[in-house]
Amino acid sequence: MSEIDFEKIGLKVGLEIHQQLNTNKKLFCKCRPIESDEYTEKFSRSLRTAKSELGKLDPAALFEKTKSKKINYYANSQSSCLVEKDEEPPHDLDHDAKKISLLISSMLESKIFSEIHVMRKTVIDGSNTSGFQRTMLVSQGGNLKVGEKNVGVQAVCLEEDAAKLLSNEQNETNYSLDRLGVPLVEIALDPVSTKPSEVKEIALTLGGLLRATRMVKRGIGSIRQDVNISVMNSGVVEVKGVQQLDQLEKIINYEAKRQHGLILIAEKLKTLSITITKEDVVDVTEIFKACDSKIIQKAQKLNAKIKAIRIRNFSGMFGFEPYPEIRLGKEIGQLVRFFGIGGVFHSDELPNYGINDSDVDKVRKHLELAGEDGFLIIAGEDPKLDYAIDSIIKRIQDATDGVPAETRAATQDGETIFLRPRPGASRMYPETDIPSISVTPQEMKLAMENIPPSLESQYQELEKKYHLNPELAKQLWDSPYLDSVIDVFRQDWFNMKSFEDAKKAANFIASKAVSLKSFEREGLDLSKIDGAWLSKTLGDLADHKIAKERFEQIFRAKISGEEEPGSPSKFRVPSEDELNKILDKIIQDNMDLPEVKEGGEHAVKKLMGIFMKEYRGTVDGKLVHDLLRKKVSEL
Ligand SMILES: [Zn+2]
């Protein structure tokens, strides 16, 4: 039963896409949205349980609270100020971010509100210093055309991005503030009955629409997908943090199987009379005093308690697998880990892990179990242990309902893992520090007028206009250096070339610009390359003023600050006059070398080597060789 019929199980998927906008400022302050690994400041906070305006405690917040963690923030003054630290109220909304969000809403035919209200959304994992994220509903409704299909748009929001997670340890979480407050749009699509491969298509289409604006950030982490998944109208599960499209397909596949598996488990549970209450929890620390299990021994050294939970008629149900690797035992293992508790064992997997037959017998006897009853053993410290046990009891009670509504995280290998219960409805409340923001009819009109052509037609236009090969045109369009390259194409000298020469030069320059990506992968700081310098250099390259073999070197020099733009340069192709002068100087400087004194081919070879060390790639080697031979023979 490993193949799954998605239609039959009623798979529904709703995508929520978060896309960072390419602005010069953050959403509510003047800090630049740049990411860096250098942090000059560190401060710590402990998590407060956030109370919403309604006075209700958010269940998700309560859950995080039980994990009682210390949170460290790392900051750099270039990318964060007092606003990010929550020590100063937010400034005015960034105008560009507003403009881009209106444009995106218009592209999706979403109805823009004439007044935007800033709301606070409770954040419970510490990813915002203030305990909330600011979000604004910009527009509602709309349509995304995906092939022949229409996918409804629920809403477009403008939001501030969260702090970047650096590491998540047992008792501490570390965040950096450079990403906090970066503007992003959140686009929520209607849930659609679908297949995993179609969801990928939807995500690709929406991604293309966003990129067509040329006003969104690119690269890893700049776009994230949350996916709401349900089967057979059961509980909706939100999967967070899907960064790659291939992963998206895998995750929906996995989650469809997991959810349908849980429904099959529930059907079976309904035929048994399962009971579990707090009365079924028994302290068995004494019984396990002599147990060989490493986990149990470790727990005992820490003075942790060991408890057993009795579940009547549950034998075989922890290990029952309607699909491979989908079973209640695994669900409970994940749940418990989130309380920072490592060890939980269930009756279907014992004896094992150093817990032997006699340990099992003692537990069964102590709990007065019959053959069809099941049990769990869990080790941990109070009060964590009690919270964990409460949530296990609830999870088993809920198992007869099928799929619990919860938030899960995407894993690297395409599965999902329990993150927390779904937040309650009382998560949003108004931001009191910022008055409402109006959207004028003029702004709406401007957004409509600026709707760009589709990504595909923009690729084609670039390809046709400059006679680029199609794949290269696509890559160039995606490159941050597109504008610099087009600058070269527009220069008079370039346009005076013959058609064939211009075509050759255009493809050559474009490929060089695209190749700059490899510098980024090396970790070089490409922000030191400004557009004007780049078009000048690319122009010189096309005009044979710079040897093409020297291109890489010139860039490295520029990035490391060695070379001033426009200065006479060892990177440039020397004129014949210059070349003669350079060679004469080399001969002068090296007259005393034995090979040079000897004269003939030995001298030529030595001098050639000295020249090449400095000027390799700038001049044709044969020309240098001939000139040197002439000069040496004249000596
Ligand atoms: Zn700031």
PDB file of all heavy atoms in Angstrom, residues 414-435:
ATOM      1  N   GLY A 414      12.919  15.564   3.234  1.00  0.00           N
ATOM      2  CA  GLY A 414      11.577  15.566   2.652  1.00  0.00           C
ATOM      3  C   GLY A 414      10.490  15.008   3.542  1.00  0.00           C
ATOM      4  O   GLY A 414       9.405  14.685   3.076  1.00  0.00           O
ATOM      5  N   GLU A 415      10.768  14.875   4.839  1.00  0.00           N
ATOM      6  CA  GLU A 415       9.697  14.489   5.756  1.00  0.00           C
ATOM      7  C   GLU A 415       9.237  15.720   6.532  1.00  0.00           C
ATOM      8  O   GLU A 415       9.698  16.833   6.276  1.00  0.00           O
ATOM      9  CB  GLU A 415      10.197  13.403   6.725  1.00  0.00           C
ATOM     10  CG  GLU A 415      10.551  12.108   6.014  1.00  0.00           C
ATOM     11  CD  GLU A 415      10.674  10.933   6.971  1.00  0.00           C
ATOM     12  OE1 GLU A 415      10.571  11.121   8.194  1.00  0.00           O
ATOM     13  OE2 GLU A 415      10.882   9.813   6.461  1.00  0.00           O
ATOM     14  N   THR A 416       8.336  15.510   7.472  1.00  0.00           N
ATOM     15  CA  THR A 416       7.920  16.621   8.334  1.00  0.00           C
ATOM     16  C   THR A 416       8.043  16.155   9.766  1.00  0.00           C
ATOM     17  O   THR A 416       7.956  14.968  10.046  1.00  0.00           O
ATOM     18  CB  THR A 416       6.465  17.043   8.063  1.00  0.00           C
ATOM     19  OG1 THR A 416       5.605  15.987   8.503  1.00  0.00           O
ATOM     20  CG2 THR A 416       6.220  17.350   6.612  1.00  0.00           C
ATOM     21  N   ILE A 417       8.258  17.112  10.667  1.00  0.00           N
ATOM     22  CA  ILE A 417       8.448  16.752  12.067  1.00  0.00           C
ATOM     23  C   ILE A 417       7.647  17.721  12.942  1.00  0.00           C
ATOM     24  O   ILE A 417       7.536  18.907  12.624  1.00  0.00           O
ATOM     25  CB  ILE A 417       9.962  16.735  12.407  1.00  0.00           C
ATOM     26  CG1 ILE A 417      10.213  16.273  13.826  1.00  0.00           C
ATOM     27  CG2 ILE A 417      10.629  18.067  12.145  1.00  0.00           C
ATOM     28  CD1 ILE A 417      11.662  15.900  14.063  1.00  0.00           C
ATOM     29  N   PHE A 418       7.084  17.197  14.015  1.00  0.00           N
ATOM     30  CA  PHE A 418       6.240  17.996  14.898  1.00  0.00           C
ATOM     31  C   PHE A 418       6.978  19.243  15.395  1.00  0.00           C
ATOM     32  O   PHE A 418       8.110  19.171  15.846  1.00  0.00           O
ATOM     33  CB  PHE A 418       5.817  17.142  16.091  1.00  0.00           C
ATOM     34  CG  PHE A 418       5.026  17.897  17.119  1.00  0.00           C
ATOM     35  CD1 PHE A 418       3.690  18.201  16.903  1.00  0.00           C
ATOM     36  CD2 PHE A 418       5.620  18.336  18.293  1.00  0.00           C
ATOM     37  CE1 PHE A 418       2.967  18.915  17.841  1.00  0.00           C
ATOM     38  CE2 PHE A 418       4.899  19.052  19.241  1.00  0.00           C
ATOM     39  CZ  PHE A 418       3.565  19.336  19.014  1.00  0.00           C
ATOM     40  N   LEU A 419       6.330  20.404  15.291  1.00  0.00           N
ATOM     41  CA  LEU A 419       6.943  21.640  15.742  1.00  0.00           C
ATOM     42  C   LEU A 419       6.193  22.199  16.948  1.00  0.00           C
ATOM     43  O   LEU A 419       6.773  22.521  17.968  1.00  0.00           O
ATOM     44  CB  LEU A 419       6.949  22.642  14.588  1.00  0.00           C
ATOM     45  CG  LEU A 419       7.813  23.889  14.714  1.00  0.00           C
ATOM     46  CD1 LEU A 419       9.271  23.516  14.902  1.00  0.00           C
ATOM     47  CD2 LEU A 419       7.679  24.749  13.463  1.00  0.00           C
ATOM     48  N   ARG A 420       4.886  22.332  16.840  1.00  0.00           N
ATOM     49  CA  ARG A 420       4.065  22.828  17.947  1.00  0.00           C
ATOM     50  C   ARG A 420       2.587  22.692  17.585  1.00  0.00           C
ATOM     51  O   ARG A 420       2.252  22.498  16.421  1.00  0.00           O
ATOM     52  CB  ARG A 420       4.395  24.298  18.234  1.00  0.00           C
ATOM     53  CG  ARG A 420       4.228  25.194  17.036  1.00  0.00           C
ATOM     54  CD  ARG A 420       4.406  26.663  17.399  1.00  0.00           C
ATOM     55  NE  ARG A 420       4.280  27.467  16.194  1.00  0.00           N
ATOM     56  CZ  ARG A 420       5.313  27.999  15.546  1.00  0.00           C
ATOM     57  NH1 ARG A 420       6.537  27.823  15.960  1.00  0.00           N
ATOM     58  NH2 ARG A 420       5.118  28.699  14.451  1.00  0.00           N
ATOM     59  N   PRO A 421       1.694  22.841  18.580  1.00  0.00           N
ATOM     60  CA  PRO A 421       0.266  22.842  18.241  1.00  0.00           C
ATOM     61  C   PRO A 421      -0.059  24.059  17.376  1.00  0.00           C
ATOM     62  O   PRO A 421       0.703  25.031  17.381  1.00  0.00           O
ATOM     63  CB  PRO A 421      -0.424  22.956  19.600  1.00  0.00           C
ATOM     64  CG  PRO A 421       0.620  22.725  20.631  1.00  0.00           C
ATOM     65  CD  PRO A 421       1.921  23.051  20.020  1.00  0.00           C
ATOM     66  N   ARG A 422      -1.151  24.042  16.631  1.00  0.00           N
ATOM     67  CA  ARG A 422      -1.540  25.211  15.834  1.00  0.00           C
ATOM     68  C   ARG A 422      -1.877  26.359  16.764  1.00  0.00           C
ATOM     69  O   ARG A 422      -2.519  26.165  17.787  1.00  0.00           O
ATOM     70  CB  ARG A 422      -2.797  24.913  14.977  1.00  0.00           C
ATOM     71  CG  ARG A 422      -2.597  23.960  13.850  1.00  0.00           C
ATOM     72  CD  ARG A 422      -1.960  24.447  12.601  1.00  0.00           C
ATOM     73  NE  ARG A 422      -2.253  25.728  12.034  1.00  0.00           N
ATOM     74  CZ  ARG A 422      -2.830  25.891  10.861  1.00  0.00           C
ATOM     75  NH1 ARG A 422      -3.318  24.876  10.208  1.00  0.00           N
ATOM     76  NH2 ARG A 422      -2.932  27.077  10.332  1.00  0.00           N
ATOM     77  N   PRO A 423      -1.440  27.568  16.423  1.00  0.00           N
ATOM     78  CA  PRO A 423      -1.773  28.713  17.279  1.00  0.00           C
ATOM     79  C   PRO A 423      -3.282  28.977  17.274  1.00  0.00           C
ATOM     80  O   PRO A 423      -3.964  28.679  16.308  1.00  0.00           O
ATOM     81  CB  PRO A 423      -1.024  29.863  16.633  1.00  0.00           C
ATOM     82  CG  PRO A 423      -0.640  29.405  15.276  1.00  0.00           C
ATOM     83  CD  PRO A 423      -0.632  27.921  15.282  1.00  0.00           C
ATOM     84  N   GLY A 424      -3.775  29.522  18.376  1.00  0.00           N
ATOM     85  CA  GLY A 424      -5.195  29.829  18.471  1.00  0.00           C
ATOM     86  C   GLY A 424      -5.564  31.036  17.624  1.00  0.00           C
ATOM     87  O   GLY A 424      -4.706  31.685  17.043  1.00  0.00           O
ATOM     88  N   ALA A 425      -6.848  31.339  17.568  1.00  0.00           N
ATOM     89  CA  ALA A 425      -7.324  32.431  16.720  1.00  0.00           C
ATOM     90  C   ALA A 425      -6.978  33.794  17.304  1.00  0.00           C
ATOM     91  O   ALA A 425      -7.041  34.808  16.627  1.00  0.00           O
ATOM     92  CB  ALA A 425      -8.826  32.309  16.524  1.00  0.00           C
ATOM     93  N   SER A 426      -6.583  33.830  18.579  1.00  0.00           N
ATOM     94  CA  SER A 426      -6.346  35.125  19.225  1.00  0.00           C
ATOM     95  C   SER A 426      -4.920  35.611  19.008  1.00  0.00           C
ATOM     96  O   SER A 426      -4.363  36.301  19.823  1.00  0.00           O
ATOM     97  CB  SER A 426      -6.619  34.996  20.717  1.00  0.00           C
ATOM     98  OG  SER A 426      -5.900  33.897  21.230  1.00  0.00           O
ATOM     99  N   ARG A 427      -4.332  35.236  17.890  1.00  0.00           N
ATOM    100  CA  ARG A 427      -2.927  35.524  17.674  1.00  0.00           C
ATOM    101  C   ARG A 427      -2.670  36.947  17.179  1.00  0.00           C
ATOM    102  O   ARG A 427      -1.584  37.439  17.265  1.00  0.00           O
ATOM    103  CB  ARG A 427      -2.391  34.537  16.653  1.00  0.00           C
ATOM    104  CG  ARG A 427      -1.286  33.675  17.210  1.00  0.00           C
ATOM    105  CD  ARG A 427      -0.759  32.792  16.124  1.00  0.00           C
ATOM    106  NE  ARG A 427       0.659  33.027  15.937  1.00  0.00           N
ATOM    107  CZ  ARG A 427       1.303  32.744  14.833  1.00  0.00           C
ATOM    108  NH1 ARG A 427       0.661  32.256  13.803  1.00  0.00           N
ATOM    109  NH2 ARG A 427       2.591  32.972  14.734  1.00  0.00           N
ATOM    110  N   MET A 428      -3.697  37.595  16.584  1.00  0.00           N
ATOM    111  CA  MET A 428      -3.486  38.917  15.983  1.00  0.00           C
ATOM    112  C   MET A 428      -4.159  40.015  16.791  1.00  0.00           C
ATOM    113  O   MET A 428      -5.275  39.840  17.253  1.00  0.00           O
ATOM    114  CB  MET A 428      -4.088  38.922  14.586  1.00  0.00           C
ATOM    115  CG  MET A 428      -3.270  38.146  13.623  1.00  0.00           C
ATOM    116  SD  MET A 428      -2.545  39.225  12.410  1.00  0.00           S
ATOM    117  CE  MET A 428      -3.333  38.540  10.971  1.00  0.00           C
ATOM    118  N   TYR A 429      -3.473  41.125  16.923  1.00  0.00           N
ATOM    119  CA  TYR A 429      -4.076  42.286  17.582  1.00  0.00           C
ATOM    120  C   TYR A 429      -3.451  43.552  17.007  1.00  0.00           C
ATOM    121  O   TYR A 429      -2.362  43.500  16.435  1.00  0.00           O
ATOM    122  CB  TYR A 429      -3.940  42.185  19.105  1.00  0.00           C
ATOM    123  CG  TYR A 429      -2.532  41.984  19.600  1.00  0.00           C
ATOM    124  CD1 TYR A 429      -1.826  43.020  20.219  1.00  0.00           C
ATOM    125  CD2 TYR A 429      -1.888  40.748  19.457  1.00  0.00           C
ATOM    126  CE1 TYR A 429      -0.528  42.825  20.677  1.00  0.00           C
ATOM    127  CE2 TYR A 429      -0.592  40.555  19.906  1.00  0.00           C
ATOM    128  CZ  TYR A 429       0.075  41.599  20.521  1.00  0.00           C
ATOM    129  OH  TYR A 429       1.351  41.408  20.957  1.00  0.00           O
ATOM    130  N   PRO A 430      -4.145  44.697  17.127  1.00  0.00           N
ATOM    131  CA  PRO A 430      -3.673  45.891  16.418  1.00  0.00           C
ATOM    132  C   PRO A 430      -2.361  46.457  16.963  1.00  0.00           C
ATOM    133  O   PRO A 430      -2.118  46.422  18.166  1.00  0.00           O
ATOM    134  CB  PRO A 430      -4.797  46.909  16.610  1.00  0.00           C
ATOM    135  CG  PRO A 430      -5.947  46.146  17.145  1.00  0.00           C
ATOM    136  CD  PRO A 430      -5.411  44.936  17.814  1.00  0.00           C
ATOM    137  N   GLU A 431      -1.517  46.960  16.047  1.00  0.00           N
ATOM    138  CA  GLU A 431      -0.289  47.672  16.406  1.00  0.00           C
ATOM    139  C   GLU A 431      -0.682  49.088  16.806  1.00  0.00           C
ATOM    140  O   GLU A 431      -1.322  49.812  16.037  1.00  0.00           O
ATOM    141  CB  GLU A 431       0.642  47.683  15.199  1.00  0.00           C
ATOM    142  CG  GLU A 431       1.761  48.699  15.219  1.00  0.00           C
ATOM    143  CD  GLU A 431       2.800  48.405  16.277  1.00  0.00           C
ATOM    144  OE1 GLU A 431       3.679  47.554  16.049  1.00  0.00           O
ATOM    145  OE2 GLU A 431       2.707  49.058  17.336  1.00  0.00           O
ATOM    146  N   THR A 432      -0.333  49.495  18.022  1.00  0.00           N
ATOM    147  CA  THR A 432      -0.772  50.802  18.510  1.00  0.00           C
ATOM    148  C   THR A 432       0.251  51.895  18.206  1.00  0.00           C
ATOM    149  O   THR A 432      -0.045  53.084  18.320  1.00  0.00           O
ATOM    150  CB  THR A 432      -1.009  50.739  20.032  1.00  0.00           C
ATOM    151  OG1 THR A 432       0.067  50.009  20.615  1.00  0.00           O
ATOM    152  CG2 THR A 432      -2.318  50.055  20.337  1.00  0.00           C
ATOM    153  N   ASP A 433       1.465  51.533  17.816  1.00  0.00           N
ATOM    154  CA  ASP A 433       2.518  52.524  17.573  1.00  0.00           C
ATOM    155  C   ASP A 433       2.458  53.151  16.175  1.00  0.00           C
ATOM    156  O   ASP A 433       3.147  54.119  15.906  1.00  0.00           O
ATOM    157  CB  ASP A 433       3.906  51.888  17.758  1.00  0.00           C
ATOM    158  CG  ASP A 433       4.216  51.633  19.228  1.00  0.00           C
ATOM    159  OD1 ASP A 433       3.600  52.318  20.070  1.00  0.00           O
ATOM    160  OD2 ASP A 433       5.049  50.763  19.516  1.00  0.00           O
ATOM    161  N   ILE A 434       1.666  52.559  15.283  1.00  0.00           N
ATOM    162  CA  ILE A 434       1.623  53.080  13.904  1.00  0.00           C
ATOM    163  C   ILE A 434       0.173  53.359  13.505  1.00  0.00           C
ATOM    164  O   ILE A 434      -0.671  52.470  13.595  1.00  0.00           O
ATOM    165  CB  ILE A 434       2.229  52.061  12.915  1.00  0.00           C
ATOM    166  CG1 ILE A 434       3.613  51.598  13.389  1.00  0.00           C
ATOM    167  CG2 ILE A 434       2.322  52.652  11.506  1.00  0.00           C
ATOM    168  CD1 ILE A 434       4.143  50.392  12.645  1.00  0.00           C
ATOM    169  N   PRO A 435      -0.130  54.606  13.074  1.00  0.00           N
ATOM    170  CA  PRO A 435      -1.490  54.890  12.609  1.00  0.00           C
ATOM    171  C   PRO A 435      -1.772  54.155  11.304  1.00  0.00           C
ATOM    172  O   PRO A 435      -0.841  53.701  10.644  1.00  0.00           O
ATOM    173  CB  PRO A 435      -1.490  56.411  12.388  1.00  0.00           C
ATOM    174  CG  PRO A 435      -0.063  56.808  12.300  1.00  0.00           C
ATOM    175  CD  PRO A 435       0.762  55.762  12.974  1.00  0.00           C
TER     176      PRO A 435
END
